[in-house]
């Protein structure tokens, strides 16, 4: 067995699953990716993943000692080590820790993508010196990870931090969760496309967005249009940031965070999205919080290894010197 300690970080996405070896300082030594093939059972994903990984890791065993496996996945529950009915996956309830233990009897932790991103920022990113923060991922939907005193807030059943499904509009837009007016129907890549189409019908301004059909329009098109001065696109960014800033003002009252970190595709739009969030957050804050909350873009999202770093960081954050997991009280299925 080698002497360089590494954790295996695995990020399961709707299309691709990426994985890699990361040391405690965040240096990535190996990475690879396979298609998730979410229409097939979870067992086949893990068997393909470990077949690929093992054949390559075998050659590196002289150098590396594997200390644990961290997994980011949609609808993952850290208490049960499970992945539960992720939307767009044909999986149902998956005991992920048990499936992985068939390959490695090591500490294994599984949690959702937003929590993984929050741990990644704490270990290697913009939150290395921030104890209390909220991380928002703006992807197809809106995910969130809440950190209190340097610990992820998991709640009673492991489902704390579903800010994407807080209601921001009574009888508002229909959401995939079956309810109406959820924040992610406004503040997400899908949400901003819905807003752009609403504004195209509401206003008469010339707009390059009129060239797109509903199914072909992406948030990237809206970003490009906004940067070239397109009025509808700029209004859509304003509106999206305003909804998010308004909702986050409530979160600040719940949690009194030092910062809110914005991660994911839409966050790459920079000031286009950050400025309206800031302005509308400040406008709606209780006076005692005014001027006290930083809105920060993620440090890691432009790293091509962000997902692997975050998943591996789960292990590095929670493992102690004896190689045992110290953090989650109900971590069923984790072997020391
Ligand atoms: Zn919802």
């Amino acid at each position: 067995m080698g002497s360089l300690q590494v954790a295996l970080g695995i990020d399961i996405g709707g299309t691709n699953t990426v994985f890699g070896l990361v040391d405690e300082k965040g240096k990535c030594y190996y990475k690879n990716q396979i298609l998730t093939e979410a229409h097939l059972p979870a067992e086949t994903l893990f068997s393909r993943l470990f077949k690929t990984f093992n054949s390559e890791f075998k050659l590196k065993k002289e150098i590396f000692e594997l200390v644990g496996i961290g997994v980011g996945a949609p609808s993952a529950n850290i208490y049960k080590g499970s992945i539960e009915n992720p939307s767009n996956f044909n999986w149902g309830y998956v005991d992920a820790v048990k499936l992985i233990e068939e390959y490695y009897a090591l500490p294994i932790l599984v949690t959702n993508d937003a929590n993984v991103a929050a741990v990644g920022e704490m270990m290697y990113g913009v939150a290395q010196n921030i104890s209390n923060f909220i991380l928002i991922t703006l992807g197809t939907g809106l995910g969130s990870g809440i950190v209190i005193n340097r610990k992820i807030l998991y709640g009673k059943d492991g489902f704390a931090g579903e800010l994407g499904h807080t209601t921001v509009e009574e009888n508002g837009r229909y959401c995939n969760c079956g309810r109406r007016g959820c924040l992610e129907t406004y503040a997400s890549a899908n949400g901003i496309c819905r807003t752009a189409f609403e504004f195209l019908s509401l206003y008469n301004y010339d707009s390059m967005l009129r060239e797109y059909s509903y199914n072909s329009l992406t948030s990237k098109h809206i970003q490009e249009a906004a940067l070239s001065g397109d009025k509808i696109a700029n209004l859509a960014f304003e509106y999206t940031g305003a909804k998010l800033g308004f909702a986050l003002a409530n979160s600040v009252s719940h949690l009194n965070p030092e910062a809110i970190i914005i991660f994911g595709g839409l966050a790459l739009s920079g000031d286009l999205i950050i400025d309206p969030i800031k302005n509308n957050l400040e406008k709606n804050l209780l006076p005692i919080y005014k001027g006290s909350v930083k809105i920060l873009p993620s440090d890691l999202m432009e790293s091509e290894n962000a997902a692997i770093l975050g998943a591996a960081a789960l292990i590095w954050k929670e493992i102690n010197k004896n190689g045992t997991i110290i953090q989650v009280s109900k971590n069923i299925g984790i072997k020391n």
Side-chain angles (χ1 to χ4, degrees):
M1 195 184 275
S3 56
L4 181 57
Q5 292 193 322
V6 286
L8 175 62
I10 302 174
D11 178 74
I12 301 173
T15 310
N16 292 312
T17 292
V18 296
F19 50 99
L21 293 172
V22 178
D23 73 6
E24 192 171 10
K25 294 205 169 79
K27 184 162 182 217
C28 188
Y29 289 90
Y30 157 84
K31 67 171 171 173
N32 208 334
Q33 70 173 58
I34 55 175
L35 287 172
T36 302
E37 305 212 75
H39 58 287
L40 298 174
E43 287 83 351
T44 65
L45 170 66
F46 289 114
S47 94
R48 283 184 296 119
L49 190 157
F50 283 108
K51 200 171 161 198
T52 304
F53 175 72
N54 288 343
S55 66
E56 286 159 354
F57 187 61
K58 218 166 39 196
L59 310 171
K60 303 179 197 323
K61 270 199 174 136
E62 307 281 286
I63 316 165
F64 295 117
E65 180 197 350
L66 192 57
V67 299
I69 300 173
V71 183
S75 308
N77 186 312
I78 198 155
Y79 294 141
K80 297 187 202 159
S82 58
I83 301 172
E84 304 182 16
N85 306 300
S87 51
N88 307 318
F89 282 61
N90 200 13
W91 280 11
Y93 182 98
V94 172
D95 191 339
V97 166
K98 202 169 155 209
L99 286 181
I100 296 170
E101 279 179 334
E102 290 180 18
Y103 302 91
Y104 287 96
L106 289 169
I108 300 163
L109 288 173
V110 180
T111 192
N112 74 43
D113 338 42
N115 287 338
V116 161
V119 177
E121 295 294 339
M122 244 192 298
M123 287 287 291
Y124 310 125
V126 72
Q128 287 178 56
N129 297 309
I130 302 179
S131 298
N132 297 281
F133 67 93
I134 302 169
L135 179 133
I136 301 288
T137 63
L138 295 174
T140 317
L142 185 152
S144 58
I146 297 171
V147 172
I148 307 290
N149 295 328
R150 308 274 308 159
K151 284 195 184 301
I152 297 278
L153 181 75
Y154 288 113
K156 176 173 81 67
D157 297 317
F159 298 128
E162 284 289 349
L163 264 58
H165 298 282
T166 50
T167 311
V168 292
E169 194 87 58
E170 199 182 1
N171 299 319
R173 293 177 183 172
Y174 288 90
C175 184
N176 286 334
C177 71
R179 295 151 66 248
R180 293 185 70 174
C182 292
L183 178 60
E184 79 167 22
T185 67
Y186 301 89
S188 65
N190 277 344
I192 198 170
C193 290
R194 291 169 88 165
T195 299
F197 265 84
E198 237 177 71
F199 287 0
L200 286 169
S201 64
L202 183 65
Y203 300 108
N204 285 325
Y205 304 122
D206 283 340
S207 171
M208 58 184 81
L209 301 181
R210 296 194 189 280
E211 304 302 317
Y212 294 96
S213 70
Y214 189 84
N215 286 329
S216 68
L217 183 72
T218 66
S219 58
K220 192 119 204 294
H221 295 138
I222 304 172
Q223 183 197 334
E224 284 160 8
L227 289 172
S228 70
D230 190 282
K231 183 122 189 197
I232 298 273
N234 275 288
L235 286 170
F237 268 100
E238 278 288 324
Y239 184 83
T240 304
K243 277 279 193 253
L244 189 49
F246 177 85
L248 287 171
N250 287 328
S251 301
V252 169
S253 304
H254 296 143
L255 301 165
N256 187 17
E258 179 181 338
I260 294 164
I261 300 170
I262 312 288
F263 184 99
L266 265 190
L268 294 171
S269 306
D271 292 346
L272 274 180
I273 190 82
I274 301 283
D275 285 350
I277 297 173
K278 259 186 202 161
N279 296 340
N280 287 279
L281 174 72
E282 281 302 320
K283 203 166 79 187
N284 289 290
L285 281 179
L286 194 67
I288 50 168
Y289 303 122
K290 278 190 195 288
S292 76
V293 190
K294 295 191 258 289
I295 305 286
L296 304 171
S298 149
D299 242 9
L300 295 183
M301 68 185 165
E302 288 188 71
S303 151
E304 50 178 337
N305 300 327
I308 295 170
L309 287 178
L314 263 183
I315 294 296
W316 287 121
K317 174 92 175 51
E318 309 303 349
I319 208 161
N320 68 13
K321 299 227 160 25
N322 314 318
T324 53
I325 294 284
I326 49 178
Q327 172 252 350
V328 188
S329 59
K330 290 199 273 180
N331 50 0
I332 297 159
I334 291 170
K335 284 182 187 165
N336 293 335

